């Protein structure tokens, strides 16, 4: 079973700087707006990219559109041998559909 964090809990931990957010949406969706500081690792690319990430001792939360595929991502990440046993890997309940806080964008501002 994958632990779930509410969007409120994720927002608070992002502000505190004690969690790493993995955004599993496609790059185009990520660029339109993402949780501040989130790393974009689309779900389809995740299995091949997990070994390339430096998994330090920071807890991880996965975020997706509605909170379903992020559970799969969390299970995959937590099963990777390079992730420390004391690192919590969770899914954000409700996904971006439930996120009511600030988003960063990767798109250039219109001039």
């Amino acid at each position: 079973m994958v632990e779930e964090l509410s969007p409120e809990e994720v927002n608070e931990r992002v502000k505190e700087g004690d969690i790493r957010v993995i955004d599993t949406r496609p790059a185009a969706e990520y660029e339109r707006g993402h949780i501040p500081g989130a790393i974009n690792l689309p779900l389809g690319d995740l299995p091949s990219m997990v070994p390339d990430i430096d998994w330090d001792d920071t807890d991880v939360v996965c975020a997706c559109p509605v909170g379903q595929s992020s559970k799969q991502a969390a299970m995959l990440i937590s099963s990777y041998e390079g992730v420390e046993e004391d690192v919590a890997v969770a899914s954000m309940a409700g996904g971006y559909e439930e996120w009511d806080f600030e988003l960063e964008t990767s798109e250039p501002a219109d001039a």
Side-chain angles (χ1 to χ4, degrees):
M1 194 72 187
V2 173
E3 178 186 2
E4 288 191 289
L5 298 177
S6 70
E8 293 78 16
E9 290 172 300
V10 172
N11 184 52
E12 198 58 42
R13 294 197 59 190
V14 165
K15 287 180 179 178
E16 293 169 3
D18 72 348
I19 199 160
R20 179 188 307 203
V21 179
I22 303 296
D23 188 321
T24 64
R25 300 175 301 157
E29 290 181 41
Y30 172 85
E31 290 169 3
R32 283 195 294 271
H34 53 269
I35 296 169
I39 301 166
N40 186 221
L41 297 175
L43 188 61
D45 299 336
L46 195 59
S48 64
M49 297 175 84
V50 166
D52 297 332
I53 303 294
D54 179 18
W55 300 103
D56 57 17
D57 60 355
T58 305
D59 289 346
V60 175
V61 65
C62 299
C64 70
V66 294
Q68 292 302 312
S69 60
S70 58
K71 291 178 188 175
Q72 295 174 333
M75 284 190 289
L76 175 75
I77 292 168
S78 63
S79 69
Y80 175 62
E81 62 188 28
V83 176
E84 300 292 328
E85 286 185 26
D86 60 344
V87 171
V89 182
S91 171
M92 185 172 76
Y96 275 91
E97 192 171 276
E98 298 296 322
W99 182 262
D100 292 328
F101 307 98
E102 178 185 353
L103 294 174
E104 286 182 341
T105 59
S106 299
E107 294 180 339
D110 292 333

